[in-house]
Amino acid sequence: MRTVTTLAELREAVSTLRRAGPVALVPTMGALHEGHLALMRRAAELAPNVVASIFVNPAQFGPNEDLAKYPRQLAQDKALLEAEGVALLWAPTVDQVYPEGFATSVSVKGVSDGLEGHWRPGHFAGVATVVAKLFNQVQPDFAVFGEKDWQQLAVIRRMARDLDLTLPDVSRIVGLETVRETDGLAMSSRNRYLSAEERAAAAMLPRATRAAIVAIGAGRDVAAALEELERTLLGAGFASVDYATLADAASLEPLTERQPEPMRLLVAARIGGTRLIDNMPVGQSA
Ligand code: PAF
């Protein structure tokens, strides 16, 4: 695997790869775990050349978020990518991505506004801006993202469609089902912040989410099912629940009742100092 850290090297390396066939991009912020490696494997099924990026993007962190303490482990990440057969790692410095005077921001209205967008103002503009840049820099034939960040995936798809970004069409932005620990907790680089006690309690997040989905599927009132989900999390030791929302899977518009179109139940909750998110399909979108 070759690692490049400047745009000039990236362009040269990608054009060499492209001569050998299509390219699939997996953008990451590093601190790789099994969930990321599953993305690499999916990318390898889509294209012979897998390009991974590792960039802890300051633009998507709010002033009180964990940018400074976000885990950075480049040597270990490189070894993991190498073992997956990734061809090229794009690991730019902050000034390569945001040079002096950088003044552009990509904002995706509607789908960015609620849920994470409400709790993390500016987060999705930071994500959309960096992903637009990554798409332009690498010009991949496919890009693979985890469904754990369901709203992020919806924002990226909308942005790519609206801006006619270089991927041939939005179906080339591929979502991969969330990879989970054996107790159901979604894999996340932030899980390492949890104490042993918090980690044990965190398993209630997927469990209670699934229970709410079953209840809604059985015809329980949506608001009542979501309230019970919140109560269960608080009872299990979560400090607060930012949201537990049934939403249209594509627009992320909140729903008070079931609908025939695909739906998603999305949850964000805090345990100790850590904020966890999860989401699952509801009904026919499963
Ligand atoms: O999901 C992530 O790791 C990040 O939000 C992404 C897509 C790499 C953009 O920085």
Side-chain angles (χ1 to χ4, degrees), residues 180 183-186 202-211 233 278 280:
R180 296 180 182 278
D183 64 1
L185 181 66
M204 191 48 87
L205 182 60
R207 214 174 298 150
T209 303
R210 208 163 272 126
L233 293 177
D278 204 344
M280 292 179 192

Side-chain angles (χ1 to χ4, degrees), residues 42-217:
R42 180 74 186 106
E45 288 168 3
L46 294 165
N49 302 299
V50 177
V51 176
S53 64
I54 294 183
F55 178 62
V56 182
N57 174 32
Q60 69 189 75
F61 288 78
N64 300 318
E65 293 184 352
D66 56 348
L67 174 62
K69 77 164 187 177
Y70 197 83
R72 289 159 171 91
Q73 49 174 57
L74 191 59
Q76 191 180 322
D77 288 347
K78 277 187 185 177
L80 291 169
L81 294 175
E82 190 98 51
E84 290 301 327
V86 169
L88 178 66
L89 170 62
W90 169 221
T93 53
V94 173
D95 57 327
Q96 280 288 313
V97 178
Y98 299 116
E100 187 63 30
F102 188 87
T104 301
S105 173
V106 178
S107 137
V108 184
K109 294 195 187 72
V111 71
S112 288
D113 295 341
L115 305 167
E116 288 302 285
H118 172 79
W119 287 92
R120 304 184 66 190
H123 170 68
F124 286 123
V127 170
T129 304
V130 84
V131 173
K133 283 180 67 93
L134 288 167
F135 284 0
N136 282 330
Q137 291 164 345
V138 177
Q139 310 215 339
D141 301 280
F142 298 89
V144 186
F145 297 88
E147 288 187 352
K148 171 167 171 288
D149 295 294
W150 181 266
Q151 191 177 10
Q152 164 173 284
L153 186 55
V155 168
I156 291 168
R157 285 185 165 135
R158 183 62 53 91
M159 171 195 69
R161 193 203 66 175
D162 288 357
L163 297 183
D164 304 322
L165 288 186
T166 47
L167 293 133
D169 69 73
V170 162
S171 69
R172 302 290 191 97
I173 297 176
V174 175
L176 187 72
E177 197 179 325
T178 303
V179 179
R180 296 180 182 278
E181 305 285 355
T182 46
D183 64 1
L185 181 66
M187 287 196 185
S188 163
S189 306
R190 290 185 169 105
N191 291 352
R192 67 186 71 190
Y193 301 155
L194 300 170
S195 69
E197 198 186 336
E198 290 162 358
R199 172 63 191 81
M204 191 48 87
L205 182 60
R207 214 174 298 150
T209 303
R210 208 163 272 126
I213 289 171
V214 170
I216 291 168

